[in-house]
Amino acid sequence: MNRDVIDIRLLEAFAAVMSAGSITSAARLLGRSQPVVTRQIQDLEAEVGYALFSRNGPRISPTPKGVLFHAEVERLLMGLKHIRQRADAIGAGALPVLSLAAIPALAAGFVPAALAALERELLPSQVHVQALSAENVVQSVLSQSVDFGLASLPVQHPGLDVQWVCEVPCVACLAMDHPLAKKKVVRLKDLGDSRLLTMANPYRLRRRVDEALEREGVVPAEIIDTNSSMTAIAMAKQSLGIAIVEPVLTSSLPVEGVVTRRLDVSIPFLFAALSPTGRELTPTVGSLNDALRAAVALMPGAKLHSGATASLEPDEAAGEFEKANS
């Protein structure tokens, strides 16, 4: 077997087993026999040189390496699917398929509004929207498996064209009956008596939240962290604490039973619009870019800046924004 190329059927079998949880179910999904799928998994393990699944009688579970490998296979198979759809669109003389990736808050908060703002003749019949972590958004744009991406800073990479950067101050989300909900501005010092609901990724927004708390001398007694601002807001609704989140969802998808308040200390959230370097924006992608930029500019306190600031660390970029607007 050519070690430079892995048979796509082996990858399809692996992805199906990961999704279905068993070889029997995967065989049904693929329309193949169970022995064929079993052999394909064995062939793939021989090809990559390590076990993808642990066996315990009839039960199988992915190994740690299998989980990591699945992320790569999933991205590849999605890219191949998009290539087929793009080829079909070219053959039919139709608009190219539109693929974009965004962090979950932006995917839910502004992408739908931007797509709805496109003129009907610019909207393809096939549109793919993926809600991914910032790191995976960047990788998807770099690999050109998507046409456009929205990711929080930092996004430094020579293979990216940054169309624009948005900076917006974080807000506090509280249950309507929380004592602090009566205030127009929530002080960070007030969080010393409350449970903090915040983001988990220590390299992005969470770092700036922690630094702001440290500057104010605040040490929350309790913390619940999550990888989704929507989850933090939902927990705030259940009176589990005060959420410090970017105002993307609170601006576009207000949650009943939750109030949003300004913070007395600015904690900037920064994100960028990305496209692959050297690829000219199509009329559809260009219009989508304009619609997204117009939508995010409506957030309270939002500031739009050129893509040059994306080469800075988030805190440095925020500092440059302060200078430019002082």
Side-chain angles (χ1 to χ4, degrees):
M1 184 179 290
N2 184 354
R3 288 193 57 82
D4 292 334
V5 179
I6 298 178
D7 190 331
I8 189 66
R9 292 170 296 180
L10 307 186
L11 300 178
E12 289 172 341
F14 170 67
V17 174
M18 288 289 290
S19 296
S22 73
I23 289 180
T24 301
S25 298
R28 283 198 295 265
L29 287 175
L30 294 170
R32 302 173 190 173
S33 69
Q34 182 176 336
V36 166
V37 174
T38 298
R39 187 174 65 252
Q40 289 175 328
I41 295 299
Q42 292 170 343
D43 289 346
L44 182 58
E45 289 179 321
E47 177 70 18
V48 298
Y50 48 81
L52 298 170
F53 295 100
S54 298
R55 279 83 170 171
N56 183 12
R59 294 180 173 274
I60 63 170
S61 59
T63 63
K65 289 182 179 179
V67 173
L68 293 174
F69 185 60
H70 179 247
E72 301 301 324
V73 170
E74 197 172 35
R75 185 158 45 240
L76 172 66
L77 293 178
M78 183 64 72
L80 291 175
K81 178 183 177 182
H82 292 176
I83 288 173
R84 166 52 62 188
Q85 292 170 339
R86 290 172 190 270
D88 291 343
I90 291 171
L95 286 172
V97 175
L98 174 62
S99 299
L100 59 147
I103 59 176
L106 294 168
F110 289 119
V111 170
L115 289 173
L118 292 184
E119 296 181 10
R120 187 170 182 82
E121 59 269 22
L122 288 177
L123 191 64
S125 59
Q126 290 281 345
V127 178
H128 301 290
V129 180
Q130 299 181 66
L132 304 172
S133 68
E135 292 82 0
N136 283 332
V137 170
V138 169
Q139 290 304 313
S140 295
V141 177
L142 286 172
S143 67
Q144 301 194 27
S145 61
V146 299
D147 304 301
F148 204 75
L150 295 168
S152 54
L153 267 58
V155 293
Q156 301 178 42
H157 200 285
L160 298 174
D161 280 346
V162 180
Q163 301 297 321
W164 44 267
V165 173
C166 181
E167 176 216 8
V168 64
C170 289
V171 295
C173 291
L174 313 86
M176 291 186 68
D177 58 356
H178 193 287
L180 294 178
K182 298 176 182 178
K183 297 180 176 289
K184 292 184 178 180
V185 178
V186 171
R187 301 187 311 158
L188 283 188
K189 291 186 181 297
D190 294 332
L191 296 180
D193 298 324
S194 300
R195 181 187 288 120
L196 174 64
L197 311 173
T198 186
M199 298 297 97
N201 189 330
Y203 303 110
R204 295 183 185 273
L205 180 57
R206 174 64 179 272
R207 179 165 66 90
R208 295 194 291 283
V209 171
D210 288 346
E211 289 174 349
L213 291 171
E214 185 177 358
R215 286 194 299 270
E216 295 297 308
V218 178
V219 180
E222 299 175 86
I223 294 176
I224 298 178
D225 59 29
T226 174
N227 63 348
S228 164
S229 55
M230 175 58 81
T231 302
I233 294 170
M235 289 191 291
K237 180 178 180 178
Q238 298 301 321
S239 300
L240 284 170
I242 299 176
I244 295 182
V245 295
E246 77 285 339
V248 173
L249 290 172
T250 56
S251 298
S252 54
L253 294 171
V255 178
E256 185 178 353
V258 174
V259 298
T260 301
R261 296 291 182 259
R262 291 188 293 114
L263 292 165
D264 68 327
V265 174
S266 177
I267 303 177
F269 173 69
L270 301 105
F271 62 94
L274 312 170
S275 61
T277 292
R279 182 193 286 187
E280 184 178 352
L281 300 186
T282 66
T284 293
V285 175
S287 295
L288 177 68
N289 181 39
D290 292 341
L292 285 166
R293 184 166 49 195
V296 302
L298 298 177
M299 284 188 292
K303 300 173 184 176
L304 286 171
H305 304 272
S306 72
T309 49
S311 63
L312 303 173
E313 287 296 316
D315 295 328
E316 294 175 329
E320 290 298 314
F321 295 165
E322 291 285 339
K323 293 177 186 177
N325 289 276
S326 61

